[in-house]
């Protein structure tokens, strides 16, 4: 909470909770409320949406909290193969629908791992029809699980080139990075 206050005092007005899965943090709800109380104008939770409680949905709907996620395919088997978690597609889509039904602004990206262009296009259409506010696709980069997928270690050249461009990543231990991928 202290780091959020310091960021706000330095002029930061946008905040994104990201993980891993930010909702696994036992203080997640408390941190979400603190971010709103502090006065952040834009608050987004980047989540795999495999877990989402009613308290979070209601708070988000009442306070303009946004959500973002990744959906790898409109086909459950293909999505689950990439996440390596059985039923992750069903849970992600169910919770995405719950957010949309409550009027919560959402965005989703299809991260291109090994899907063909038709699958990516179909998945983007699926998400738009579902009611996702912002839909895009992006190439997998060699960070996190991307290192194993691409069989190469993370390199600075893999970053998008917009680090320090009005953004800053603060890790749970308080370390600052030019972007979330640069950790």
């Amino acid at each position: 909470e202290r780091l959020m206050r310091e960021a706000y005092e330095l002029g930061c007005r946008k905040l994104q909770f990201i993980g891993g899965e930010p909702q696994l943090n036992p203080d997640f709800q408390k941190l979400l409320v603190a971010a709103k109380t502090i006065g952040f104008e834009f608050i987004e939770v980047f989540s795999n949406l495999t877990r989402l409680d009613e308290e979070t949905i209601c708070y988000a709907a009442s306070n303009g909290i946004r959500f973002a996620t990744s959906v790898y395919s409109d086909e459950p088997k293909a999505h689950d193969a990439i996440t390596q978690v059985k039923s992750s597609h069903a849970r992600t889509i169910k919770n995405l629908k719950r957010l949309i039904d409550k009027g919560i602004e959402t965005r989703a990206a299809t991260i291109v791992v090994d899907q063909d262009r038709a699958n990516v296009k179909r998945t983007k259409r699926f998400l738009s029809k579902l009611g996702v506010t912002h839909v895009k696709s992006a190439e997998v980069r060699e960070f996190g699980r991307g290192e194993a997928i691409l069989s190469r270690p993370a390199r600075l050249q893999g970053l998008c080139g917009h680090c320090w461009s009005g953004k800053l990543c603060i890790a749970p231990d308080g370390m600052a990075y030019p972007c979330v991928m640069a950790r």
Side-chain angles (χ1 to χ4, degrees), residues 70-73 78-79 81-84 109-117 119-120 137-141 145-146 148-150:
S70 298
V71 176
Y72 299 97
S73 178
H79 176 93
I82 291 170
T83 64
Q84 300 178 353
T110 299
I111 308 301
V112 182
V113 177
D114 60 6
Q115 312 93 310
D116 59 34
R117 289 191 188 278
N119 183 310
V120 172
S137 62
E139 300 293 321
V140 68
R141 291 189 270 160
R145 283 189 310 155
I149 291 167
L150 297 174

Side-chain angles (χ1 to χ4, degrees), residues 5-173:
R5 287 190 190 288
E6 288 177 13
Y8 189 85
E9 288 169 11
L10 290 171
C12 179
R13 296 298 180 261
K14 295 180 180 182
L15 181 73
Q16 182 187 61
F17 290 93
I18 192 168
E21 172 53 56
Q23 295 178 84
L24 289 175
N25 184 319
D27 293 325
F28 172 74
Q29 190 68 31
K30 179 181 161 198
L31 292 169
L32 196 60
V33 171
K36 187 65 181 176
T37 303
I38 289 167
F40 286 95
E41 297 160 10
F42 175 97
I43 302 168
E44 182 179 71
V45 179
F46 196 108
S47 165
N48 63 28
L49 292 181
T50 56
R51 58 184 301 138
L52 186 63
D53 61 43
E54 196 60 32
E55 181 183 8
T56 299
I57 292 174
C58 290
Y59 187 80
S62 304
N63 291 282
I65 310 294
R66 303 160 189 234
F67 277 77
T69 194
S70 298
V71 176
Y72 299 97
S73 178
D74 61 329
E75 298 171 357
K77 261 184 157 175
H79 176 93
D80 292 356
I82 291 170
T83 64
Q84 300 178 353
V85 177
K86 190 176 180 172
S87 81
S88 64
H89 183 271
R91 289 181 289 152
T92 297
I93 299 306
K94 176 183 150 213
N95 285 326
L96 196 49
K97 286 178 183 176
R98 289 173 67 205
L99 293 169
I100 292 164
D101 289 347
K102 289 286 190 179
I104 296 168
E105 191 166 336
T106 57
R107 69 182 177 94
T110 299
I111 308 301
V112 182
V113 177
D114 60 6
Q115 312 93 310
D116 59 34
R117 289 191 188 278
N119 183 310
V120 172
K121 203 173 193 178
R122 195 179 59 245
T123 302
K124 288 171 70 176
R125 255 193 327 271
F126 167 75
L127 292 167
S128 292
K129 285 181 181 176
L130 205 61
V132 175
T133 316
H134 306 282
V135 178
K136 70 175 194 167
S137 62
E139 300 293 321
V140 68
R141 291 189 270 160
E142 68 258 17
F143 299 95
R145 283 189 310 155
E147 286 183 280
I149 291 167
L150 297 174
S151 300
R152 65 177 184 241
R155 302 167 299 145
L156 286 177
Q157 295 91 326
L159 297 172
C160 72
H162 298 287
C163 296
W164 296 113
S165 181
K167 294 182 181 180
L168 182 64
C169 172
I170 307 295
D173 63 3

